[in-house]
Amino acid sequence: MSNIIDGKAMAAALVEETAIAAAKFNDAHGIKPGLAVVLVGEDPASAVYVRNKVKQATNAGLNSIEHRLPADTSQQTLNQLVDDLNNDAKVHGILVQLPLPEHLDEEHIIQAIDPAKDVDGFHPLNAGALATGQQALVPCTPLGCLIMLQRTLGDLSGKHAVVIGRSNIVGKPMAALLLQANCTVTTVHSRTQDIVGICSQADIIVAAVGRANFVQADWVKTGAVVIDVGINAIEQDGKRKLVGDVDFAQVAPKAAAITPVPGGVGPMTIACLMKNTLTAANQQMQS
Ligand code: NAP
């Protein structure tokens, strides 16, 4: 049996589960959970992400509302749009695709989104709620990783999880989620000494570094589960190719289970955006 975790299949299952719950929400409240996606500018990678998000929103039975703004949009115009979406009862989740063009203040926009509609989970109130174990909207990528781990391993209690990277969008919330799931968590980063020694003790490795093929076979204990968050474009045989942070060919034979890139964490991230929109919609109806 293959030890490759099929992120596409898990994401399809999660979207299906969300669609069933979204239909129940519609029956109960006479409205579909609504997701507003805002794209500023023409960044090709962002345009692909937004297209995939809008497609999956429809598959998940959500009302998908798209706002495309030109690259020279002013801060004031974007602030106004976010404000309007905060006050729109049809909108339960707001996602402003990052990165924004340089002249726009990303931190300001993250904090302008109503925390109850913050389906990216980047607002400091949601980050604080997650860190203190309260009800929070959780960033989609680490949430997707957690669900993949739980659906692969079941109960994570007592596992030693090593998270490589400490960004606000992946590493830190990932460590908080694994701690909540009763793992023993070590976070390593660019200043850590003996990363290899620490990783080689791990039952679970989550790599979120942004360096192609960074994690090598001798870093990984036989039977560990490896989640590769990285997305790195490299040139191979004159062609552009996407690879993760883990040297997949070398590490896969040692791992009990491993996510591929592409087809692992990426699809689950988008599926979790749909799940978060439903969660946000349900929470808004309860409050
Ligand atoms: P980031 O903000 O650049 O953070 C990278 C982290 O890696 C930092 O904490 C950094 O440590 C650490 N690091 C860098 N070099 C290191 C080294 N030599 N040894 C140990 N640690 C090192 O990146 P991010 O936003 O977390 O994203 C990480 C990767 O995941 C990227 O490839 C990104 O494209 C990908 N990603 C994928 C998805 C998805 O949906 N699949 C979503 C988000 C991100 P310091 O803090 O010490 O600098």
Side-chain angles (χ1 to χ4, degrees):
M1 216 177 85
S2 166
N3 67 342
I4 298 173
I5 299 173
D6 186 343
K8 277 191 198 164
M10 276 195 193
L14 191 57
V15 167
E16 214 172 296
E17 288 163 31
T18 305
I20 291 166
K24 281 191 188 146
F25 181 94
N26 196 3
D27 288 347
H29 305 292
I31 183 175
K32 288 181 178 181
L35 171 64
V37 179
V38 179
L39 175 64
V40 185
E42 321 267 308
D43 177 62
S46 294
V48 172
Y49 289 138
V50 165
R51 196 170 342 118
N52 288 338
K53 286 169 185 176
V54 168
K55 192 172 138 204
Q56 283 295 41
T58 308
N59 291 342
L62 309 182
N63 178 22
S64 166
I65 303 143
E66 222 182 317
H67 290 270
R68 287 174 181 267
L69 305 179
D72 62 357
T73 297
S74 69
Q75 184 80 42
Q76 197 190 6
T77 303
L78 187 56
N79 290 349
Q80 186 59 56
L81 174 60
V82 168
D83 211 34
D84 292 346
L85 295 172
N86 282 342
N87 292 308
D88 186 340
K90 292 190 302 300
V91 173
H92 303 93
I94 302 169
L95 177 132
V96 177
Q97 183 65 46
L98 302 178
L100 290 170
E102 266 184 16
H103 67 282
L104 295 171
D105 183 344
E106 244 170 53
E107 206 45 53
H108 181 91
I109 288 300
I110 287 171
Q111 296 199 27
I113 294 172
D114 179 349
K117 297 189 177 187
D118 169 38
V119 283
D120 249 343
F122 294 163
H123 193 288
L125 274 183
N126 279 315
L130 172 63
T132 51
Q134 296 170 64
Q135 179 177 284
L137 288 167
V138 175
C140 301
T141 298
L143 181 59
C145 295
L146 181 78
I147 294 171
M148 284 200 286
L149 283 166
Q150 288 172 327
R151 291 188 180 184
T152 303
L153 286 169
D155 183 15
L156 304 182
S157 291
K159 307 270 184 215
H160 182 200
V162 173
V163 180
I164 315 177
R166 56 173 166 176
S167 70
N168 289 339
I169 62 167
V170 190
K172 282 182 197 144
M174 186 75 250
L177 284 171
L178 289 165
L179 200 56
Q180 257 179 27
N182 297 319
C183 290
T184 302
V185 183
T186 308
T187 299
V188 299
H189 48 77
S190 69
R191 309 292 176 92
T192 299
Q193 292 182 10
D194 192 20
I195 284 198
V196 179
I198 295 169
C199 286
S200 59
Q201 294 170 32
D203 303 309
I204 294 167
I205 294 178
V206 181
V209 190
R211 288 177 171 233
N213 300 324
F214 184 65
V215 177
Q216 297 292 307
D218 61 338
W219 300 33
V220 179
K221 185 170 78 175
T222 300
V225 174
V226 180
I227 305 290
D228 190 351
V229 180
I231 303 175
N232 308 290
I234 60 161
E235 282 265 315
Q236 205 175 62
D237 305 325
K239 285 189 192 142
R240 189 175 171 275
K241 193 182 165 200
L242 288 184
V243 298
D245 289 342
V246 177
D247 187 336
F248 184 86
Q250 303 300 321
V251 171
K254 285 185 85 175
I258 183 167
T259 59
V261 177
V265 174
M268 278 300 279
T269 295
I270 295 180
C272 283
L273 176 65
M274 310 312 144
K275 181 179 166 65
N276 274 355
T277 304
L278 181 74
T279 302
N282 278 320
Q283 286 171 2
Q284 284 160 46
M285 289 303 174
Q286 280 158 18
S287 63

